[in-house]
Amino acid sequence: MADGRFPNFKSFAEFWAEGEWAPFVQTLHPGNNSPHTLAVLDQPAGAFPDPPIPEFNIQLLKKINSRVKITLEGTELDASPAPGAIFVAPADTEMNYELDAPHQVVALAINREAMDRFREQADFDLPRDFGKLHEQMFYDPIVEALIMRMLEQAMMEHPTSDLFLDQATNTILTSLLCRSGTLETDQNATGPLTDRDIAKVARIVEERLEDNLNIADLARVTSLSDWHFARAFKQATGLSPHQFVLRRRIARAKDLLQHTSFPLAQVAVASGFSSQSHMTDVFRQKAGATPGKYRAQTSAKS
């Protein structure tokens, strides 16, 4: 989703290795094919942009003694944080910030597949990357300690490192989820969704199934906030919005597997899964077979 001002970086690993920040990167753990990228950046004073990359970005300010001005998603933060301050940026969001003095940042980028898996494990619909959490800086000793421990573990490249990184990532996301819940102050309508609302949501899901749909996309067609929409939708349908979207993706994948010869990777993309492996995991759990086995079984019957 990069625009003309930025090269088409697909990940923060690429941006930190090859982008304009590369000279400031002291440590980089790209994670190869893992969902986590970690970096330590020693940056001078000045103004710096982050391109809109499809990854959730958590930044921990470790060494800082200056004013920080951050703008993203129509929000402006202007603060003089102490070391240990944390801020987050939603995926696909351009972020600009200015600092009056040199500083050190430890950054953790989490890709879409890891976020999807967290949603499924938690069985909880997240407002777009934890709702309004990006509108503040905050201090969380647990998240800070986990990020630093992840960095240490990643540099060790021990056989258990990937397992630790996965578990630590989920713990961090759970902590952020708990924190974001305290930010919801919208007391607007919490009544049930109408049949018309549900029909609108279903139509949006079908039309945009290949996209990275989030709660904000679906809530937008109703009069409810993200959080209230998720609760009202489950009350009306018996399914969370995420479960509803997953069911439609499974249904489309089944149709494509049965009636086309598309490769599995192409079926995954056309059905809205973040990868073939993600589709395989969900398909096995929901349909009781892998996509390949399902295709073989349905072909044998026809």
Side-chain angles (χ1 to χ4, degrees), residues 166-185:
D166 286 341
Q167 293 177 339
T169 296
N170 280 346
T171 302
I172 288 171
L173 293 176
T174 301
S175 295
L176 297 182
L177 178 59
C178 293
R179 177 175 290 275
S180 68
T182 67
L183 301 179
E184 175 56 25
T185 58

PDB file of all heavy atoms in Angstrom, residues 166-185:
ATOM      1  N   ASP A 166       7.027 -16.544  19.461  1.00  0.00           N
ATOM      2  CA  ASP A 166       5.587 -16.707  19.230  1.00  0.00           C
ATOM      3  C   ASP A 166       4.800 -16.476  20.515  1.00  0.00           C
ATOM      4  O   ASP A 166       3.799 -15.753  20.541  1.00  0.00           O
ATOM      5  CB  ASP A 166       5.285 -18.108  18.691  1.00  0.00           C
ATOM      6  CG  ASP A 166       5.693 -18.280  17.246  1.00  0.00           C
ATOM      7  OD1 ASP A 166       5.863 -17.258  16.547  1.00  0.00           O
ATOM      8  OD2 ASP A 166       5.843 -19.438  16.807  1.00  0.00           O
ATOM      9  N   GLN A 167       5.244 -17.121  21.591  1.00  0.00           N
ATOM     10  CA  GLN A 167       4.519 -17.008  22.855  1.00  0.00           C
ATOM     11  C   GLN A 167       4.597 -15.591  23.414  1.00  0.00           C
ATOM     12  O   GLN A 167       3.601 -15.056  23.943  1.00  0.00           O
ATOM     13  CB  GLN A 167       5.056 -18.027  23.848  1.00  0.00           C
ATOM     14  CG  GLN A 167       4.777 -19.474  23.448  1.00  0.00           C
ATOM     15  CD  GLN A 167       5.386 -20.480  24.410  1.00  0.00           C
ATOM     16  OE1 GLN A 167       6.318 -20.177  25.146  1.00  0.00           O
ATOM     17  NE2 GLN A 167       4.861 -21.696  24.391  1.00  0.00           N
ATOM     18  N   ALA A 168       5.768 -14.974  23.308  1.00  0.00           N
ATOM     19  CA  ALA A 168       5.926 -13.605  23.810  1.00  0.00           C
ATOM     20  C   ALA A 168       5.069 -12.633  23.006  1.00  0.00           C
ATOM     21  O   ALA A 168       4.468 -11.706  23.568  1.00  0.00           O
ATOM     22  CB  ALA A 168       7.392 -13.191  23.760  1.00  0.00           C
ATOM     23  N   THR A 169       4.999 -12.848  21.697  1.00  0.00           N
ATOM     24  CA  THR A 169       4.163 -11.986  20.858  1.00  0.00           C
ATOM     25  C   THR A 169       2.707 -12.058  21.288  1.00  0.00           C
ATOM     26  O   THR A 169       2.025 -11.034  21.421  1.00  0.00           O
ATOM     27  CB  THR A 169       4.294 -12.387  19.378  1.00  0.00           C
ATOM     28  OG1 THR A 169       5.640 -12.165  18.950  1.00  0.00           O
ATOM     29  CG2 THR A 169       3.369 -11.546  18.502  1.00  0.00           C
ATOM     30  N   ASN A 170       2.202 -13.265  21.518  1.00  0.00           N
ATOM     31  CA  ASN A 170       0.816 -13.412  21.952  1.00  0.00           C
ATOM     32  C   ASN A 170       0.575 -12.755  23.310  1.00  0.00           C
ATOM     33  O   ASN A 170      -0.486 -12.178  23.550  1.00  0.00           O
ATOM     34  CB  ASN A 170       0.429 -14.890  22.007  1.00  0.00           C
ATOM     35  CG  ASN A 170       0.098 -15.445  20.634  1.00  0.00           C
ATOM     36  OD1 ASN A 170      -0.092 -14.698  19.683  1.00  0.00           O
ATOM     37  ND2 ASN A 170       0.025 -16.753  20.522  1.00  0.00           N
ATOM     38  N   THR A 171       1.567 -12.856  24.204  1.00  0.00           N
ATOM     39  CA  THR A 171       1.426 -12.220  25.516  1.00  0.00           C
ATOM     40  C   THR A 171       1.388 -10.704  25.372  1.00  0.00           C
ATOM     41  O   THR A 171       0.583 -10.021  26.027  1.00  0.00           O
ATOM     42  CB  THR A 171       2.585 -12.627  26.442  1.00  0.00           C
ATOM     43  OG1 THR A 171       2.599 -14.059  26.577  1.00  0.00           O
ATOM     44  CG2 THR A 171       2.426 -12.008  27.820  1.00  0.00           C
ATOM     45  N   ILE A 172       2.231 -10.159  24.503  1.00  0.00           N
ATOM     46  CA  ILE A 172       2.236  -8.717  24.258  1.00  0.00           C
ATOM     47  C   ILE A 172       0.899  -8.270  23.674  1.00  0.00           C
ATOM     48  O   ILE A 172       0.297  -7.287  24.119  1.00  0.00           O
ATOM     49  CB  ILE A 172       3.398  -8.330  23.321  1.00  0.00           C
ATOM     50  CG1 ILE A 172       4.734  -8.448  24.068  1.00  0.00           C
ATOM     51  CG2 ILE A 172       3.216  -6.910  22.776  1.00  0.00           C
ATOM     52  CD1 ILE A 172       5.946  -8.290  23.178  1.00  0.00           C
ATOM     53  N   LEU A 173       0.405  -9.009  22.689  1.00  0.00           N
ATOM     54  CA  LEU A 173      -0.870  -8.643  22.066  1.00  0.00           C
ATOM     55  C   LEU A 173      -2.019  -8.741  23.060  1.00  0.00           C
ATOM     56  O   LEU A 173      -2.933  -7.905  23.055  1.00  0.00           O
ATOM     57  CB  LEU A 173      -1.136  -9.533  20.851  1.00  0.00           C
ATOM     58  CG  LEU A 173      -0.175  -9.344  19.673  1.00  0.00           C
ATOM     59  CD1 LEU A 173      -0.483 -10.346  18.564  1.00  0.00           C
ATOM     60  CD2 LEU A 173      -0.255  -7.919  19.128  1.00  0.00           C
ATOM     61  N   THR A 174      -1.962  -9.753  23.939  1.00  0.00           N
ATOM     62  CA  THR A 174      -2.998  -9.873  24.970  1.00  0.00           C
ATOM     63  C   THR A 174      -2.944  -8.687  25.922  1.00  0.00           C
ATOM     64  O   THR A 174      -3.986  -8.134  26.310  1.00  0.00           O
ATOM     65  CB  THR A 174      -2.826 -11.181  25.753  1.00  0.00           C
ATOM     66  OG1 THR A 174      -2.903 -12.296  24.850  1.00  0.00           O
ATOM     67  CG2 THR A 174      -3.910 -11.337  26.806  1.00  0.00           C
ATOM     68  N   SER A 175      -1.742  -8.263  26.304  1.00  0.00           N
ATOM     69  CA  SER A 175      -1.602  -7.106  27.182  1.00  0.00           C
ATOM     70  C   SER A 175      -2.153  -5.847  26.522  1.00  0.00           C
ATOM     71  O   SER A 175      -2.843  -5.034  27.159  1.00  0.00           O
ATOM     72  CB  SER A 175      -0.128  -6.890  27.547  1.00  0.00           C
ATOM     73  OG  SER A 175       0.374  -7.972  28.305  1.00  0.00           O
ATOM     74  N   LEU A 176      -1.866  -5.685  25.232  1.00  0.00           N
ATOM     75  CA  LEU A 176      -2.377  -4.518  24.516  1.00  0.00           C
ATOM     76  C   LEU A 176      -3.891  -4.582  24.375  1.00  0.00           C
ATOM     77  O   LEU A 176      -4.573  -3.552  24.444  1.00  0.00           O
ATOM     78  CB  LEU A 176      -1.718  -4.416  23.137  1.00  0.00           C
ATOM     79  CG  LEU A 176      -0.202  -4.193  23.133  1.00  0.00           C
ATOM     80  CD1 LEU A 176       0.307  -4.062  21.703  1.00  0.00           C
ATOM     81  CD2 LEU A 176       0.185  -2.966  23.948  1.00  0.00           C
ATOM     82  N   LEU A 177      -4.417  -5.787  24.175  1.00  0.00           N
ATOM     83  CA  LEU A 177      -5.864  -5.947  24.083  1.00  0.00           C
ATOM     84  C   LEU A 177      -6.531  -5.533  25.389  1.00  0.00           C
ATOM     85  O   LEU A 177      -7.546  -4.819  25.398  1.00  0.00           O
ATOM     86  CB  LEU A 177      -6.207  -7.396  23.745  1.00  0.00           C
ATOM     87  CG  LEU A 177      -7.688  -7.758  23.663  1.00  0.00           C
ATOM     88  CD1 LEU A 177      -8.388  -6.915  22.610  1.00  0.00           C
ATOM     89  CD2 LEU A 177      -7.853  -9.240  23.355  1.00  0.00           C
ATOM     90  N   CYS A 178      -5.965  -5.972  26.511  1.00  0.00           N
ATOM     91  CA  CYS A 178      -6.512  -5.579  27.818  1.00  0.00           C
ATOM     92  C   CYS A 178      -6.439  -4.067  27.996  1.00  0.00           C
ATOM     93  O   CYS A 178      -7.377  -3.437  28.491  1.00  0.00           O
ATOM     94  CB  CYS A 178      -5.756  -6.279  28.940  1.00  0.00           C
ATOM     95  SG  CYS A 178      -5.981  -8.070  28.999  1.00  0.00           S
ATOM     96  N   ARG A 179      -5.336  -3.486  27.595  1.00  0.00           N
ATOM     97  CA  ARG A 179      -5.181  -2.039  27.743  1.00  0.00           C
ATOM     98  C   ARG A 179      -6.161  -1.295  26.841  1.00  0.00           C
ATOM     99  O   ARG A 179      -6.767  -0.298  27.253  1.00  0.00           O
ATOM    100  CB  ARG A 179      -3.743  -1.634  27.407  1.00  0.00           C
ATOM    101  CG  ARG A 179      -3.484  -0.133  27.470  1.00  0.00           C
ATOM    102  CD  ARG A 179      -2.018   0.173  27.253  1.00  0.00           C
ATOM    103  NE  ARG A 179      -1.245  -0.279  28.391  1.00  0.00           N
ATOM    104  CZ  ARG A 179      -1.045   0.417  29.511  1.00  0.00           C
ATOM    105  NH1 ARG A 179      -1.596   1.612  29.643  1.00  0.00           N
ATOM    106  NH2 ARG A 179      -0.319  -0.067  30.483  1.00  0.00           N
ATOM    107  N   SER A 180      -6.348  -1.754  25.619  1.00  0.00           N
ATOM    108  CA  SER A 180      -7.236  -1.052  24.696  1.00  0.00           C
ATOM    109  C   SER A 180      -8.663  -1.084  25.191  1.00  0.00           C
ATOM    110  O   SER A 180      -9.445  -0.168  24.917  1.00  0.00           O
ATOM    111  CB  SER A 180      -7.156  -1.664  23.297  1.00  0.00           C
ATOM    112  OG  SER A 180      -7.702  -2.972  23.281  1.00  0.00           O
ATOM    113  N   GLY A 181      -9.042  -2.127  25.939  1.00  0.00           N
ATOM    114  CA  GLY A 181     -10.388  -2.210  26.473  1.00  0.00           C
ATOM    115  C   GLY A 181     -10.702  -1.091  27.433  1.00  0.00           C
ATOM    116  O   GLY A 181     -11.867  -0.703  27.603  1.00  0.00           O
ATOM    117  N   THR A 182      -9.686  -0.544  28.077  1.00  0.00           N
ATOM    118  CA  THR A 182      -9.910   0.545  29.029  1.00  0.00           C
ATOM    119  C   THR A 182     -10.107   1.878  28.322  1.00  0.00           C
ATOM    120  O   THR A 182     -10.484   2.859  28.944  1.00  0.00           O
ATOM    121  CB  THR A 182      -8.717   0.688  29.992  1.00  0.00           C
ATOM    122  OG1 THR A 182      -7.557   1.142  29.257  1.00  0.00           O
ATOM    123  CG2 THR A 182      -8.409  -0.634  30.667  1.00  0.00           C
ATOM    124  N   LEU A 183      -9.846   1.910  26.998  1.00  0.00           N
ATOM    125  CA  LEU A 183      -9.954   3.162  26.259  1.00  0.00           C
ATOM    126  C   LEU A 183     -11.343   3.398  25.707  1.00  0.00           C
ATOM    127  O   LEU A 183     -11.657   4.496  25.261  1.00  0.00           O
ATOM    128  CB  LEU A 183      -8.961   3.165  25.080  1.00  0.00           C
ATOM    129  CG  LEU A 183      -7.492   3.005  25.453  1.00  0.00           C
ATOM    130  CD1 LEU A 183      -6.651   2.993  24.202  1.00  0.00           C
ATOM    131  CD2 LEU A 183      -7.053   4.104  26.387  1.00  0.00           C
ATOM    132  N   GLU A 184     -12.174   2.339  25.687  1.00  0.00           N
ATOM    133  CA  GLU A 184     -13.494   2.475  25.077  1.00  0.00           C
ATOM    134  C   GLU A 184     -14.414   3.281  25.991  1.00  0.00           C
ATOM    135  O   GLU A 184     -14.845   2.815  27.041  1.00  0.00           O
ATOM    136  CB  GLU A 184     -14.085   1.091  24.814  1.00  0.00           C
ATOM    137  CG  GLU A 184     -15.501   1.114  24.281  1.00  0.00           C
ATOM    138  CD  GLU A 184     -15.636   1.936  23.011  1.00  0.00           C
ATOM    139  OE1 GLU A 184     -14.658   2.100  22.270  1.00  0.00           O
ATOM    140  OE2 GLU A 184     -16.752   2.415  22.773  1.00  0.00           O
ATOM    141  N   THR A 185     -14.720   4.476  25.580  1.00  0.00           N
ATOM    142  CA  THR A 185     -15.593   5.340  26.377  1.00  0.00           C
ATOM    143  C   THR A 185     -16.861   5.719  25.623  1.00  0.00           C
ATOM    144  O   THR A 185     -17.683   6.476  26.124  1.00  0.00           O
ATOM    145  CB  THR A 185     -14.858   6.638  26.771  1.00  0.00           C
ATOM    146  OG1 THR A 185     -14.436   7.306  25.572  1.00  0.00           O
ATOM    147  CG2 THR A 185     -13.644   6.325  27.638  1.00  0.00           C
TER     148      THR A 185
END
